[in-house]
Amino acid sequence: MNKLNAIWQENKLFLLFIGLMVMFRSAVADWNHVPTGSMQPTIKIGDQILVDKLAYDIRLPLTHVSLHKLNDPERGDVIIFDSKVSDKRLVKRVIGVPGDRVAMKNNRLFVNGNALKYTAVSEQGGFKVLNEVLGETTHKIRIRNANTRASNFAEVTVPSGHYLVLGDNRDNSADSRAIGFIPRNEIVGKSETVAFSLDYDNYYLPRSQRVISPLDET
């Protein structure tokens, strides 16, 4: 017991710092590594994105227990959630909120019977990049020139307490088309900013233009 007390006395400032950092990253803000391209072109492989964990809830640290709800996710938000179905943390875009009717035809979305607006940005190597207008949010999506099985789904209604999410890389994303609607209590936070980014195709060198920058900044 005396030995433990001596260790505490000698290291208490460091241990308190570590404890506070763990609490901060668990309940206030954190960063997440993005190892896949399911959110391209918005989020690049190698991005470290900042996660605002107070965007929607004040949570009990180290848990998903909400102590107080601050806001609900909105269409267009990029959310981070711990998916029980896929058993991993995922990053996707909210397309449908509770009560919404959502359908996809040839990679074009319809929300509550209204077709979203699309404009062409670029085309290369069998892929197109389009601007997609979702409510007050305009963001880029990436689709194949030729439609795939993932390019269509019949109209569904988002149930209470759940959200329909899609990756911006529409033909290469395990999202609500594969794992179903996302329960509200699985959502960890919201992201709008890249902290920094490493270019995996260029010896992991930092991308200088993606340091504390908006997600959709190229």
Side-chain angles (χ1 to χ4, degrees):
M1 196 69 178
N2 289 335
K3 187 175 181 179
L4 289 175
N5 187 58
I7 293 172
W8 166 252
Q9 291 301 324
E10 291 174 6
N11 300 280
K12 61 183 177 182
L13 291 179
F14 174 73
L15 294 172
L16 284 171
F17 173 76
I18 295 298
L20 289 173
M21 280 298 297
V22 169
M23 295 300 104
F24 180 85
R25 292 189 61 181
S26 172
V28 179
D30 199 358
W31 57 89
N32 264 72
H33 172 60
V34 181
T36 72
S38 69
M39 280 294 290
Q40 288 181 324
T42 305
I43 301 176
K44 300 180 182 299
I45 298 173
D47 279 354
Q48 294 277 351
I49 60 174
L50 295 178
V51 182
D52 179 4
K53 294 192 173 183
L54 291 177
Y56 307 123
D57 295 275
I58 298 174
R59 294 186 184 274
L60 186 67
L62 305 177
T63 75
H64 282 76
V65 177
S66 176
L67 300 176
H68 178 68
K69 185 172 80 171
L70 300 173
N71 295 290
D72 281 316
E74 298 179 354
R75 298 184 201 96
D77 285 359
V78 174
I79 63 169
I80 295 83
F81 58 99
D82 290 326
S83 171
K84 290 183 179 179
V85 174
S86 61
D87 194 29
K88 63 179 69 173
R89 179 163 290 188
L90 299 174
V91 181
K92 305 295 176 187
R93 189 179 298 277
V94 175
I95 302 298
V97 300
D100 278 349
R101 295 176 288 109
V102 183
M104 180 184 281
K105 299 177 183 177
N106 299 326
N107 261 323
R108 268 54 173 183
L109 285 168
F110 294 77
V111 179
N112 297 323
N114 299 312
L116 302 192
K117 294 181 179 180
Y118 295 86
T119 55
V121 175
S122 63
E123 183 173 345
Q124 186 177 8
F127 290 90
K128 298 176 184 175
V129 175
L130 308 174
N131 277 328
E132 179 179 80
V133 181
L134 179 60
E136 297 181 356
T137 301
T138 300
H139 53 269
K140 292 181 177 65
I141 65 167
R142 184 174 186 260
I143 62 173
R144 294 184 184 275
N145 288 334
N147 290 328
T148 67
R149 287 190 300 175
S151 303
N152 298 273
F153 62 82
E155 185 177 270
V156 294
T157 300
V158 184
S160 176
H162 292 74
Y163 294 82
L164 188 148
V165 301
L166 297 175
D168 288 350
N169 192 357
R170 291 288 158 80
D171 293 307
N172 186 25
S173 176
D175 45 41
S176 284
R177 292 169 291 184
I179 62 176
F181 300 112
I182 308 307
R184 174 70 168 76
N185 61 11
E186 289 185 358
I187 298 174
V188 173
K190 174 182 178 181
S191 184
E192 298 177 316
T193 305
V194 179
F196 66 92
S197 182
L198 302 177
D199 189 345
Y200 288 7
D201 295 325
N202 189 25
Y203 305 104
Y204 292 83
L205 292 175
R207 296 182 174 108
S208 59
Q209 73 276 23
R210 292 182 75 77
V211 178
I212 312 300
S213 65
L215 288 183
D216 58 0
E217 187 172 289
T218 58

